[in-house]
Amino acid sequence: MAIVGAGPAGLLLGQLLAREGIDTVILEARSREHVEGRIRAGVLEQGTIDVLREAGVGERMDREGLVHGGIYLCFDGARHHIPMSELTGGRAVMIYGQTEVVKDLVAARLAMDAPLRFECAEVSLDGLNRDEPVLRYTYQGEPHELTCDLVAGCDGFHGVCRTCIPDDVLGVWQRDYPFAWLGILAQVAPSTDELIYAHSERGFALHSMRSPTISRLYIQVGTEEKIGDWPDERIWDELHARLASEDWELTEGPVLEKSITPMRSFVAEPMRFRSLLLAGDAAHIVPPTGAKGLNLAVADVTVLARALVDRLQSGSETGLREYSDRCLGRVWRAQHFSWWMTTMLHTDPDGDAYGLALQRSQLEYVASSRAAATSLAENYVGLPLERTGASHAGGPWLS
Ligand code: FAD
Ligand code: DHB
């Protein structure tokens, strides 16, 4: 089996399969330094934590990760606590950077001496229609050809695998948002014990963290804005204004990194075409407000690894046949949650006073109703990997 892409999806799939004695080759377009240094997600759901432990890469995460049992919603200058663990029977999230997850997975793969080829150029996939997939690529200046049984397309939103599925087979659903996120990593102790998601008329802001000494903060900016428009002082001024609440101070520190990310919702269906299986951002994207992207990637490859192990051990094709449907139920739940969090918390540049009043009403409802807060909490900590009951597509999420 070949895996295209060494992001969290590709690396974890390789790791889960290796532990079951299944060999894979991973091809990655970028360098190891680039892949390990790409600052992105920071929130791991309970199910993701469990899978990383099961995959044998949870040791450093358990030592260094920060367990959070709640979040704050901030609006109209007041902070409201959502006690997620209390509302979900003890489930929690872990703050542990995607960079660290990727470093742990790369180290585990290299320790096993399993093939992981960085800086592959001109990766292309052919022969899908004949069920004889062939990957062609250039590695260390030499052209290579890899004939395989199955290909896992874990090459992210801009990868090549999805583009190999014929247009008349692939359905696409998408929405672009009229704003983006500017994120900074700052060398300063977090000014909060749990994440703060803030709604204000100036736009959304988020106070997150990476460790007891490193803070991660985001602000909503316009889609056309450039990083050069945002000197550090301007970012801190906005963060102070948007996160402001009574008796609370935001502490500033040196900015180590800053970048702008567009916001998009996207789903491609089906996630399988013949011997190609898409997983993670290659198949779906969510706006980051619900912290779901990395967790969805982990859920996909966990379902995929189980299906592949089943096929090898019992010869059953059921898991692979049902792979797309099994993933998509969860994917659409995360799509809705991410869209809902995004529209509740961001300021629509084309919005009106009526829209703002609806947002305030929704925020007040979530902050004051146990039922509404529970709905947010169970989606945020993550629903179980697969639905319970007879039908995976229509069964309940929780028994
Ligand atoms: P990727 O991480 O994109 O990996 C794909 C890999 O494929 C890359 O290494 C790429 O170089 C490689 N590749 C691409 N093309 C080719 C090719 N042709 N050949 C070979 N290799 C190729 N998610 C959360 O769950 N929680 C969060 O808190 C969160 N916060 C986020 C904050 C920000 C600012 C951003 C940008 C994202 C956030 N996400 C979050 C989303 C999360 O980072 C992604 O969903 C996650 O990286 C998906 O993993 P992946 O392996 O599917 O794709
Ligand atoms: C982080 C990113 C998110 O998208 C989010 O919702 C919470 C935290 C982070 O990078 O820490």
Side-chain angles (χ1 to χ4, degrees), residues 211-233:
S211 75
T213 54
I214 303 281
S215 298
R216 177 84 171 139
L217 300 119
Y218 297 96
I219 48 170
Q220 170 187 348
V221 297
T223 49
E224 302 300 318
E225 296 195 62
K226 301 278 170 287
I227 212 73
D229 303 331
W230 287 90
D232 297 355
E233 314 77 72

Side-chain angles (χ1 to χ4, degrees), residues 286 330-343 379:
V286 284
R330 183 187 183 82
V331 166
W332 277 108
R333 180 85 300 279
Q335 287 286 333
H336 180 271
F337 178 65
S338 304
W339 164 85
W340 178 75
M341 285 284 278
T342 300
T343 45
N379 280 281

Side-chain angles (χ1 to χ4, degrees), residues 4-9 27-30 35 38 40-43 98 123 154-156 159-160 216 218 261 279-281 288 291-295 297:
V4 185
L27 307 179
E28 166 58 49
R30 311 299 295 259
V35 167
R38 210 163 28 196
R40 285 170 148 195
V43 179
Q98 180 169 330
V123 179
C154 301
D155 50 349
V160 291
R216 177 84 171 139
Y218 297 96
T261 312
D281 278 16
K292 288 286 160 247
L294 168 62
N295 293 296

